[in-house]
Amino acid sequence: MRKEFLDLGRQPIANKFLKEDEYEGEFFYDLKVIFDEDTKLVSLKDFVKPELMFNEDYAYNTSMSYPMVKHFELTANMLKEEFNPKTVLEIGSNDGPFIKNFDTETSICVEPCENFAKKTTDMGYRSYISFWDTDVSHGIKEIHGEMDLVYAANCICHIQNLDECFAAVNNILSEDGVFVFEDPSLLRMLERGSYDQIYDEHAHIFSVTALNNILINNGLTIFRVDNLSVHGGSNRIYVARNRPVEFSVAENKQREYDFGINNFQTYEIFAERVRKSKKDLVELLTKLKGEGKRVVSIGATSKSTTVFNYCDIGESLIECITDTTPDKQGLLAPGSHIPVVDRESVNLNDYDYAFLGAWNFKDVIANKEREFVENGGKFITHVPEVMVFS
Ligand code: JHZ
């Protein structure tokens, strides 16, 4: 049975940055979250059509978050060393920071956003512009054969029909092949109160427990879990058909159980915390405005789309958002219509406070913006709770 526990209000497409003349027809949907008592999966109540989110205008460019480029290089080297795959398939390859560490002759990309598929094609990889499903899986297998490594980062949780997704992986995986994917962790989201992991693209927020339940039904088994710090706390899930299951799987499931991820009440408590976070953030920003303070935001993230729209924060409370991604600069943030600008065009010292839209890069940003702090600037974050720090 599916039970709703959180309503994050009317939300726009999280990565659809707008020109001024695009206000009119802006698409909004109801962002509500459910817990499935049977599989223990947390999902959006209503999914947004994938084509509205992932298309040739998709703005999230992995390589613009430079710590992630290093992360994918290290991940690729580790997987090469341990599994020595002869053939590699990446689902949701974005602009290629993972696949670029593998041979162009034996590696395949599947990516629905044409702008990014073009980039990996230019890098020499056979790139299919498509969503991942059984038809694509069969088509690729016919041409390129089975795959020893199927990899996906921050992509599987975007796929609405998980049974179809896993059947498609099962079809193309070689006998001893491994399927490795990483996505934000439900446990870390619940622990940290980071409700902004929830937006249109994240059709599901995964626990190891729920994934295990769904994968087993599809003939696949989780044999290892790595807990990662990236994206505010993610899990890297290793899946195969017949490998010995390692201790990390039981350990993660136990931690999830101990936290109460199998109980609906845990989600009701989380929802209460989210409502408090909204109240605290709006109160803080309103107070600062009353005192004549100026606030900027750093990182025009998908996450900040959820925060600004849920909390009804617009340009009157946060003047602008800086972001390193050229495709976001000069546009307006989805729903809130706060202007997104190049970091270089802004003197941070003109502002009193900087909200961390990219709180997952807190240390990197705090380090880069030392001068802002030295000049009396302070950061605001809402994770794990609304607070000011410098
Ligand atoms: P970042 C995206 O979410 C979307 P977002 C997606 N759905 C997903 O699942 C997660 O990633 C994993 C900028 N930046 O990575 C670059 C600075 O401006 O938190 C990015 O636009 N200065 C695929 O959008 C944004 O912030 C900096 O110093 O929530 C970060 O976005 C750094 C480091 C980044 O993901």
Side-chain angles (χ1 to χ4, degrees):
M1 193 173 65
R2 290 156 41 106
K3 288 168 94 174
E4 182 182 325
F5 63 91
L6 182 60
D7 182 350
L8 293 168
R10 299 283 291 164
Q11 292 279 347
I13 300 293
N15 271 301
K16 179 85 185 96
F17 293 82
L18 307 164
K19 297 195 190 88
E20 258 181 44
D21 61 0
E22 289 172 333
Y23 272 30
E24 279 289 300
E26 190 172 11
F27 177 86
F28 284 87
Y29 67 99
D30 290 319
L31 181 55
K32 294 182 177 167
V33 196
I34 55 120
F35 171 65
D36 185 328
E37 295 264 12
D38 303 324
T39 58
K40 313 300 179 202
L41 183 66
V42 167
S43 308
L44 302 192
K45 185 173 183 198
D46 300 305
F47 294 139
V48 171
K49 261 186 158 186
E51 296 78 8
L52 287 178
M53 302 179 275
F54 307 110
N55 49 49
E56 67 283 2
D57 295 326
Y58 188 56
Y60 179 73
N61 189 327
T62 309
S63 300
M64 289 299 127
S65 295
Y66 66 87
M68 293 309 294
V69 177
K70 190 75 205 160
H71 169 78
F72 288 122
E73 186 192 324
L74 292 173
T75 306
N77 290 341
M78 178 274 289
L79 293 172
K80 275 199 272 197
E81 198 155 302
E82 178 160 3
F83 301 110
N84 192 22
K86 291 191 183 54
T87 46
V88 180
L89 169 79
E90 184 177 10
I91 309 170
S93 38
N94 199 271
D95 62 342
F98 175 80
I99 207 72
K100 77 174 184 193
N101 301 289
F102 291 89
D103 195 314
T104 50
E105 294 299 308
T106 52
S107 311
I108 310 289
C109 300
V110 177
E111 169 57 61
C113 306
E114 204 175 331
N115 47 340
F116 292 128
K118 269 194 188 132
K119 290 202 177 173
T120 50
T121 302
D122 290 347
M123 287 157 66
Y125 294 93
R126 185 71 182 88
S127 307
Y128 291 89
I129 305 168
S130 177
F131 290 100
W132 176 247
D133 60 21
T134 41
D135 285 348
V136 171
S137 171
H138 282 283
I140 293 178
K141 187 174 167 183
E142 223 162 84
I143 301 169
H144 304 280
E146 292 180 332
M147 296 290 143
D148 294 335
L149 172 65
V150 176
Y151 179 79
N154 302 302
C155 174
I156 301 301
C157 78
H158 298 61
I159 299 180
Q160 299 171 358
N161 186 340
L162 292 176
D163 287 326
E164 163 93 17
C165 166
F166 294 146
V169 170
N170 204 356
N171 168 64
I172 206 162
L173 203 61
S174 61
E175 185 56 26
D176 295 323
V178 286
F179 169 36
V180 178
F181 62 101
E182 51 185 79
D183 288 292
S185 147
L186 175 72
L187 179 61
R188 292 302 282 141
M189 181 187 91
L190 295 173
E191 285 173 343
R192 307 184 96 162
S194 48
Y195 68 89
D196 52 355
Q197 291 290 5
I198 302 166
Y199 49 89
D200 53 356
E201 294 176 20
H202 287 175
H204 319 279
I205 308 287
F206 289 145
S207 61
V208 177
T209 308
L211 280 171
N212 204 50
N213 293 337
I214 298 165
L215 281 157
I216 281 174
N217 283 339
N218 285 280
L220 295 166
T221 311
I222 302 178
F223 67 91
R224 181 188 302 164
V225 177
D226 290 341
N227 304 126
L228 311 172
S229 62
V230 295
H231 288 298
S234 301
N235 286 329
R236 184 184 291 134
I237 310 282
Y238 297 71
V239 174
R241 293 199 188 87
N242 283 314
R243 286 185 188 247
V245 177
E246 298 174 13
F247 179 61
S248 57
V249 180
E251 193 188 13
N252 273 274
K253 280 167 62 183
Q254 186 64 46
R255 265 197 283 127
E256 293 178 347
Y257 179 86
D258 293 344
F259 190 84
I261 68 128
N262 295 336
N263 308 328
F264 186 67
Q265 204 200 2
T266 303
Y267 299 94
E268 293 180 305
I269 295 167
F270 176 72
E272 195 48 52
R273 181 172 174 188
V274 174
R275 288 188 283 271
K276 181 175 182 315
S277 175
K278 170 178 177 169
K279 186 171 160 286
D280 291 350
L281 184 60
V282 173
E283 269 177 20
L284 173 65
L285 293 174
T286 309
K287 176 175 145 290
L288 295 178
K289 187 187 173 175
E291 292 167 1
K293 304 291 190 206
R294 298 185 67 189
V295 186
V296 62
S297 182
I298 300 179
T301 58
S302 319
K303 297 182 287 291
S304 57
T305 296
T306 293
V307 175
F308 295 159
N309 286 279
Y310 174 56
C311 300
D312 203 11
I313 292 167
E315 222 182 319
S316 70
L317 294 178
I318 292 184
E319 289 182 39
C320 65
I321 308 172
T322 67
D323 198 284
T324 46
T325 314
D327 284 349
K328 297 181 184 177
Q329 295 161 1
L331 299 177
L332 303 167
S336 68
H337 302 159
I338 301 173
V340 181
V341 296
D342 180 1
R343 167 68 189 85
E344 305 310 314
S345 71
V346 168
N347 182 355
L348 226 54
N349 298 327
D350 291 343
Y351 294 86
D352 303 290
Y353 291 83
F355 176 76
L356 289 176
W359 55 265
N360 44 317
F361 294 115
K362 175 173 152 250
D363 295 341
V364 173
I365 293 171
N367 191 38
K368 263 204 293 197
E369 306 299 358
R370 279 192 306 266
E371 194 195 318
F372 167 66
V373 176
E374 280 157 19
N375 284 317
K378 294 187 171 68
F379 293 110
I380 300 173
T381 185
H382 65 293
V383 176
E385 60 215 17
V386 175
M387 62 173 136
V388 172
F389 68 96
S390 53

